[in-house]
């Protein structure tokens, strides 16, 4: 499973190619480039500001596809960040957005322990507990995202 973490300003998003932090540029294969291209296009299309992207690959079909889940943390206009999440489906080297995941289905910070299985993705995030200040969530929750 490959994980890519990206941080870019609006100006650099337009001018520069996405740079993976976890993997080097030599590790970027054509599928990764295709997925990142779709993510960049969606970020521009939706006008998401100051995006920070986590892109995690896995197989949703059990047949060896390089599907992915994308977590985009971006400026909300207030003091906090918003989370936009997409599931990308790969077919013959081409990616499409298979699902826009709602914030009711999945929320939190620091996505980890991501597992893909046919039709489902499991993700653990850090979430606020009842008395946590907005800045500093301390809870942990695992979400199950169904994907058709």
């Amino acid at each position: 499973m490959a994980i890519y973490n990206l941080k870019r300003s609006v100006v650099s998003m337009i001018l520069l190619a996405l740079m993976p932090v976890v993997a080097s540029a030599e590790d970027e294969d054509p599928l990764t480039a295709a997925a990142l291209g779709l993510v960049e296009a969606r970020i521009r299309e939706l006008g998401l500001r100051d995006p920070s992207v986590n892109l995690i690959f896995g197989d949703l079909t059990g047949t060896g596809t390089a599907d992915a889940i994308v977590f985009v943390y971006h400026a909300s206009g207030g003091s906090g960040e918003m989370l936009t999440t997409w599931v990308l489906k790969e077919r013959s080297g081409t990616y499409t957005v298979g699902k826009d995941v709602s914030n009711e289905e999945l929320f939190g910070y620091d996505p980890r322990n991501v597992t893909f299985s046919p039709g489902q993705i499991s993700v653990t995030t850090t979430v606020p507990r009842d008395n946590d200040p907005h800045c500093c969530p301390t809870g942990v929750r695992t979400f199950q995202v169904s994907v058709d």
Side-chain angles (χ1 to χ4, degrees):
M1 174 184 315
I3 301 173
Y4 294 86
N5 298 305
L6 310 148
K7 177 69 179 173
R8 297 167 27 144
S9 69
V10 174
V11 173
S12 66
M13 181 175 65
I14 293 168
L15 299 176
L16 300 174
L18 290 172
M19 301 290 290
V21 172
V22 175
S24 67
E26 300 85 51
D27 294 333
E28 189 171 293
D29 60 39
L31 287 177
T32 302
L36 292 174
L38 177 58
V39 169
E40 184 174 35
R42 291 281 294 184
I43 288 170
R44 270 196 311 264
E45 174 187 331
L46 296 173
L48 304 182
R49 297 176 323 189
D50 300 321
S52 176
V53 177
N54 293 341
L55 174 62
I56 302 171
F57 291 92
D59 181 6
L60 279 170
T61 64
T63 61
T65 56
D67 305 303
I69 188 164
V70 183
F71 305 93
V72 182
Y73 293 93
H74 54 92
S76 66
S79 62
E81 291 183 312
M82 297 251 337
L83 173 61
T84 298
T85 306
W86 304 305
V87 174
L88 305 184
K89 291 190 174 182
E90 182 264 325
R91 301 294 176 266
S92 302
T94 301
Y95 282 92
T96 58
V97 175
K99 181 173 187 171
D100 286 303
V101 181
S102 74
N103 286 329
E104 288 80 34
E105 290 179 274
L106 174 65
F107 60 90
Y109 297 95
D110 188 28
R112 58 197 177 277
N113 302 328
V114 178
T115 57
F116 289 73
S117 58
Q120 182 172 287
I121 303 171
S122 175
V123 180
T124 300
T125 64
T126 301
V127 297
R129 294 173 68 183
D130 287 339
N131 294 318
D132 285 346
H134 181 71
C135 70
C136 311
T138 61
V140 175
R141 181 169 171 189
T142 299
F143 295 90
Q144 304 298 324
V145 178
S146 295
V147 183
D148 297 328

